[in-house]
Amino acid sequence: MDTMTLWHLTGWEFAALAFAALLVGFSKTAVSGANTVSLAIFAAVLPARASTGILLPVLIAGDVLAVLTYRRHAHWPTLWRLFPAVGVGVVVGTLFLVWADDAVVRTSIGVILLFMAAVTVWRRRRADADGQPDEVTSRTGRVKARSYGVLGGFTTMVANAGGPVMSMYLLSAGFRKLGFLGTSAFFFLIVNVSKLPFSAGLGLIDGHSLLLDAALVVFVVPGAFLGKWAVDRINQRLFERLVIAATIVGGLQLLLA
């Protein structure tokens, strides 16, 4: 794998990765989707494809902390509805990574994120006008869950960028703040752990990458505590706006990188 070891990093490069790891912890317990900034930092400091494998264990550490924090608020019927479609998306994303170069990956994910953000803003305005969120148990809701599930699996496999896609789905489905965080915590813990054999098979995870991960995971913990402190002080409307803003910023970063 074309990657860098801990010993090849300069002090500033390691500091940037440490900040990105802290931001992962914050995003997992506060503003889901904000870790697209972490994705951009990892891709800037490390080889782009290799960065996805190095970032994955850091994300899993954040997922574990988020599950411990919000485990009582998960909505399992939504999770079971999503998982089959996500599995399809992960397989498609794996095949896509076999031939796609970095430029194609970044452009594809950026377009998907911006499209999802636009659709979610439109759906939220329609829900506000109707006075009710989308009904997730209706036929339309099931179709939407499958569509977002495939996109979420694809984007999380290709660039660890599934967070914004699933954030858009959970917001459009009318999830409140704690239900949103609890459901997404279990979702990404299960999905990210399932991605490990795929990433290892593609050569994106090896002994060198895991050594770097061991040094970076330390910084996820204070980020998670900071996120828990912040989320108790953010109201629902501001929470939704921050999630959508983080998604738009992440999409633009990928397109303009």
Side-chain angles (χ1 to χ4, degrees):
M1 178 177 68
D2 180 22
T3 187
M4 299 169 64
T5 68
L6 177 61
W7 320 116
H8 291 150
L9 297 172
T10 67
W12 284 110
E13 287 172 337
F14 182 78
L17 294 179
F19 173 74
L22 186 144
L23 192 57
V24 166
F26 177 82
S27 71
K28 294 294 184 179
T29 56
V31 181
S32 181
N35 62 5
T36 52
V37 178
S38 301
L39 185 157
I41 293 173
F42 268 71
V45 173
L46 304 166
R49 280 173 57 89
S51 70
T52 64
I54 295 172
L55 181 57
L56 181 56
V58 177
L59 293 173
I60 292 173
D63 294 327
V64 170
L65 293 171
V67 164
L68 292 175
T69 304
Y70 301 115
R71 60 189 178 277
R72 292 192 299 260
H73 303 284
H75 188 254
W76 282 98
T78 295
L79 291 171
W80 292 123
R81 189 179 300 116
L82 287 168
F83 283 143
V86 172
V88 173
V90 168
V91 172
V92 173
T94 302
L95 296 175
F96 182 73
L97 280 173
V98 171
W99 66 267
D101 61 22
D102 290 336
V104 173
V105 169
R106 284 195 300 268
T107 301
S108 300
I109 301 300
V111 169
I112 289 172
L113 296 187
L114 292 177
F115 176 73
M116 290 296 102
V119 169
T120 299
V121 169
W122 174 74
R123 286 185 177 275
R124 295 300 291 173
R125 288 182 176 177
R126 190 183 67 175
D128 288 341
D130 294 342
Q132 295 192 27
D134 292 343
E135 177 54 60
V136 297
T137 58
S138 66
R139 183 175 183 276
T140 301
R142 289 193 294 271
V143 171
K144 185 176 70 172
R146 295 188 187 105
S147 301
Y148 274 88
V150 171
L151 285 175
F154 176 82
T155 53
T156 194
M157 186 65 227
V158 171
N160 291 315
V165 174
M166 298 318 300
S167 295
M168 296 300 94
Y169 171 69
L170 294 176
L171 285 184
S172 69
F175 275 78
R176 305 296 291 176
K177 185 168 58 175
L178 292 180
F180 177 108
L181 291 167
T183 303
S184 63
F186 273 100
F187 175 85
F188 280 107
L189 177 60
I190 294 169
V191 170
N192 283 333
V193 169
S194 72
K195 286 162 49 183
L196 286 172
F198 292 94
S199 295
L202 290 168
L204 301 176
I205 295 178
D206 61 11
H208 294 306
S209 69
L210 291 175
L211 179 62
L212 180 54
D213 286 323
L216 293 175
V217 163
V218 176
F219 298 94
V220 178
V221 178
F225 280 108
L226 180 62
K228 181 61 174 68
W229 174 86
V231 81
D232 291 334
R233 291 159 176 78
I234 300 174
N235 63 40
Q236 180 68 25
R237 186 165 293 275
L238 177 59
F239 175 80
E240 294 175 4
R241 289 174 177 173
L242 288 173
V243 170
I244 293 172
T247 301
I248 293 172
V249 169
L252 290 174
Q253 282 180 328
L254 291 167
L255 285 176
L256 300 176

